[in-house]
Structures are given as structure tokens and as C-alpha cells.
């Protein structure tokens, strides 16, 4: 039976690789991990649109966690060879087959085990994001662990969201200005 409990995450809708990283977040001082069980995997697959293609089971969860751990290292240290090797191992479980279908180029992905599907999809998405590595960012709030792919026109996005971390930063700057303006 499917779970009806949905945990609210502070940032959804990012590309699949960034969204996988954002399955861990901090509220106040409390860390959260959406992927702490099968119900969280079900939610994440649903939020990313992967739920119609892949099964929700322990093997899939294990593979997704392996990929998330590798990505977590690579976004901060792209030169880390161990994390790159782990990501390459994930990518080794899928194969892109190019086709010509009705006169139009197409592609399909085949997996050696379907349980690798979501993990491989996130890893492959990360490779696509590396076309613009400077746009892969962590939130500028030091207390925030979220990541995003900056799609702003000028590439200057700093916060995971303006409604959350951006607003808190603006409020803190305003408070500091008003406090210093009133000081003797």
C-alpha cells in the first residue's frame, strides 16, 4: 500500500541531479533526509516524474543513495577521483541506444538492472549540467545544504530560494543597517 505521508521539502523542481542532492535539507538545526526509507523514495520518484518508469524497492533506494553520495562530493570537489569513479560505476549500468524512428533521431536507455534506472538518470543529468559547471551552485546561506542549477539569465542567483534563504539574508542585512544607523 502506498504511503499518503508527503514531507515538504524546501526546494523541488530542480534538474534531477540537483533534486536528488536536495533530498537532504536542514530546517532550523534539524537535519532531514527524504531518502531514509521506501516512502521517501516513492515521493522523490513522484516529484521527479520517474515514478511511472521505475519500481520503488530497497535495491533502487540503495542505488539512488550511492549516486547521491557521489554527487554530494562532486558538486563541491569536481576533481575528486573517488567520487568520479563511483559516478562512473553508476553510469556503467546504463546504455544509450540511438535510433532512427520515423525519420527522426531518437534515443532510448537500457539498464543492466532496472533498479539502476533512477540513479543512472540522476548521474546522466549531472553530466548534462556540466556543460555549464559554473551554474551548479550551493545556496549562499552557510546554514543551508541545498543546491541548484542557476538558470537566471545573467547567472547571478545566490540563494536556493528568495522566499527562504534569500529573504532571511535580506532581512538580516536590513536589521544590521537599522541597528548601526541607530547606534551612537
Amino acid at each position: 500500500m502506498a504511503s499518503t505521508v508527503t514531507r515538504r521539502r524546501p526546494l523541488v523542481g530542480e534538474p534531477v541531479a540537483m533534486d536528488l542532492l536536495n533530498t537532504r535539507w536542514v530546517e532550523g538545526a534539524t537535519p532531514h533526509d527524504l531518502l531514509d526509507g521506501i516512502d521517501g523514495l516513492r515521493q522523490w520518484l513522484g516529484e521527479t516524474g520517474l515514478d511511472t518508469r521505475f519500481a520503488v524497492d530497497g535495491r533502487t533506494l540503495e542505488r539512488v543513495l550511492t549516486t547521491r553520495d557521489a554527487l554530494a562530493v562532486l558538486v563541491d570537489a569536481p576533481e575528486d577521483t573517488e567520487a568520479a569513479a563511483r559516478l562512473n560505476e553508476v553510469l556503467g549500468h546504463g546504455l544509450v541506444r540511438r535510433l532512427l524512428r520515423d525519420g527522426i533521431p531518437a534515443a532510448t536507455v537500457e539498464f543492466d538492472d532496472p533498479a539502476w534506472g533512477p540513479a543512472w538518470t540522476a548521474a546522466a543529468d549531472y553530466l548534462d549540467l556540466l556543460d555549464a559547471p559554473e551554474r551548479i551552485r550551493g545556496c549562499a546561506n552557510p546554514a543551508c545544504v541545498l543546491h541548484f542549477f542557476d538558470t537566471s539569465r545573467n547567472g547571478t542567483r545566490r540563494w536556493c530560494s528568495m522566499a527562504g534563504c534569500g529573504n532571511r539574508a535580506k532581512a538580516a542585512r536590513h536589521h544590521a543597517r537599522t541597528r548601526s544607523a541607530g547606534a551612537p
Side-chain angles (χ1 to χ4, degrees), residues 69-165:
D69 291 345
L71 290 173
V73 173
L74 289 169
V75 296
D76 293 325
E79 69 287 344
D80 188 292
T81 57
E82 287 180 31
R86 287 195 311 271
L87 195 72
N88 285 335
E89 184 178 324
V90 171
L91 290 164
H93 292 281
L95 171 72
V96 177
R97 184 172 302 278
R98 297 192 48 135
L99 309 163
L100 184 62
R101 197 176 285 146
D102 298 323
I104 299 170
T108 185
V109 181
E110 299 172 0
F111 304 104
D112 59 11
D113 175 354
W116 282 104
W120 186 93
T121 301
D125 181 61
Y126 179 70
L127 295 185
D128 291 341
L129 296 179
L130 287 176
D131 286 342
E134 71 283 358
R135 293 205 174 225
I136 298 171
R137 301 208 179 105
C139 182
N141 176 355
C144 184
V145 298
L146 299 176
H147 291 82
F148 58 89
F149 186 74
D150 184 359
T151 58
S152 68
R153 189 169 47 162
N154 60 3
T156 58
R157 180 177 166 190
R158 297 182 57 212
W159 314 107
C160 62
S161 78
M162 278 309 295
C165 289

Side-chain angles (χ1 to χ4, degrees), residues 43 83 138 141 177:
Q43 180 180 331
N141 176 355
R177 278 194 310 270

